[in-house]
Amino acid sequence: MKKNTLLLTAMTASLLLSSCVAKKELVGCREENRSLTSSLQNTKEDLAAKNARITSLEEQQRGLQQALKAAEAKYAKLQESLNQSLQNANQNNVSIEKLVDQINESNQYIRHLVEVKSKSDSLNMVLTNNLTRSLSKEELKEVDVQVLKGVVYISLADNMLYKSGSYEINDRAAETLSKIAKIIKDYKDYDVLIEGNTDNVPISRENIRNNWDLSCLRASSVVQALQNQYGVDPKRLTAGGRGEYNPLQPNTTEVGKQRNRRTQIIITPKLDEFMELIGEAPETEK
């Protein structure tokens, strides 16, 4: 009897010991699983941010290609005009020397335009790179920065900027706006247009008649935040709204509506200074 009791006790102890070991292994597996799940999520978020950056760069490249095609078309038109001038010169016995002067002046003007455009493009790329580097991985998911035809576009999602269904800026947007404001203040030779955009869902709130009102009020909120909280010179700022009439995507899906609800900060060279850089176009004979 004693032997049986001892045997039973030993078997029970063995089972308990095995159970404890199994529980420890299970706990370890669960912890490892949580760690791997967290690592996978971080990797997915990092990949999404990089894909968004690649898409932005591809769009910038397409914009530069379009600008190059436009420049080539303008050059071809100018060449055609010069050929016509040559024909007119032959017909009207205009001196070759005067015609050569006109051609040289036109060529000099073209070179000047190219230099101004190159300078503007370089400044825009530096501005864009400085802003992109200052934004965090999380911010880049909700902020899109592009350069198109010499203009810098910073597009911000409405759910990052505003309280739901409102034009009041929320606390979450403060850090991002402060970084954008710093870039604006560093580049003093640029004007800034804040443009509000909505989806096509009608709004019904007191003192907001429609999406035109909402888009303008949201743009005005950003302008006042840049001026009052971050010290941007108000003389450089313009607020405007386009309502639902400048969509990026059709408003037929929730994703499309979400992309259309945005505020754009558009940074452009000051028009008067740009014209001073270009100078007056060469006059042509009538």
Side-chain angles (χ1 to χ4, degrees), residues 58-229:
E58 288 175 345
E59 291 178 354
Q60 291 181 30
Q61 183 183 24
R62 286 193 291 271
L64 291 174
Q65 290 174 343
Q66 292 174 357
L68 178 60
K69 289 182 180 179
E72 291 174 346
K74 289 181 180 179
Y75 180 80
K77 187 175 181 180
L78 180 59
Q79 186 64 52
E80 182 181 352
S81 176
L82 291 175
N83 291 338
Q84 185 63 45
S85 296
L86 182 60
Q87 293 178 5
N88 292 338
N90 290 333
Q91 293 172 0
N92 299 321
N93 296 320
V94 177
S95 68
I96 297 299
E97 290 81 4
K98 188 173 183 179
L99 182 59
V100 169
D101 288 341
Q102 290 180 355
I103 294 173
N104 290 337
E105 189 176 0
S106 296
N107 288 338
Q108 184 177 2
Y109 177 62
I110 292 172
R111 286 194 298 271
H112 190 46
L113 283 177
V114 171
E115 290 174 359
V116 171
K117 186 178 184 304
S118 298
K119 181 180 179 181
S120 176
D121 289 345
S122 298
L123 285 172
N124 287 339
M125 292 307 298
V126 172
L127 185 157
T128 302
N129 290 335
N130 288 344
L131 176 59
T132 303
R133 281 198 298 268
S134 71
L135 297 174
S136 68
K137 181 175 67 175
E138 293 300 319
E139 288 172 321
L140 284 172
K141 295 177 183 178
E142 299 179 297
V143 179
D144 182 44
V145 184
Q146 297 186 41
V147 178
L148 297 175
K149 298 182 179 179
V151 178
V152 179
Y153 292 85
I154 306 170
S155 185
L156 302 100
D158 74 322
N159 59 348
M160 185 205 58
L161 273 178
Y162 312 105
K163 298 176 182 178
S164 179
S166 171
Y167 55 85
E168 295 181 7
I169 295 177
N170 62 36
D171 296 335
R172 193 161 69 93
E175 184 175 354
T176 303
L177 283 179
S178 69
K179 294 175 182 178
I180 294 173
K182 182 181 184 304
I183 294 295
I184 292 174
K185 290 166 69 175
D186 287 344
Y187 292 83
K188 300 183 184 298
D189 293 333
Y190 285 73
D191 281 331
V192 183
L193 167 64
I194 313 299
E195 178 187 276
N197 295 270
T198 70
D199 58 25
N200 66 344
V201 178
I203 186 168
S204 178
R205 288 194 59 188
E206 187 178 359
N207 299 326
I208 302 179
R209 293 169 296 182
N210 48 41
N211 284 329
W212 278 115
D213 279 359
L214 179 61
S215 64
C216 291
L217 287 168
R218 286 183 165 178
S220 179
S221 292
V222 174
V223 162
Q224 293 180 67
L226 291 173
Q227 174 188 353
N228 299 329
Q229 298 178 34

Side-chain angles (χ1 to χ4, degrees), residues 13-26:
S14 177
L15 289 172
L16 289 173
L17 182 60
S18 298
S19 176
C20 290
V21 172
K23 287 182 179 178
K24 289 182 179 179
E25 291 179 349
L26 179 60

Side-chain angles (χ1 to χ4, degrees), residues 228-247:
N228 299 329
Q229 298 178 34
Y230 306 111
V232 177
D233 184 356
K235 294 178 181 179
R236 300 174 56 196
L237 299 172
T238 302
R242 302 189 68 176
E244 63 198 68
Y245 301 104
N246 184 36

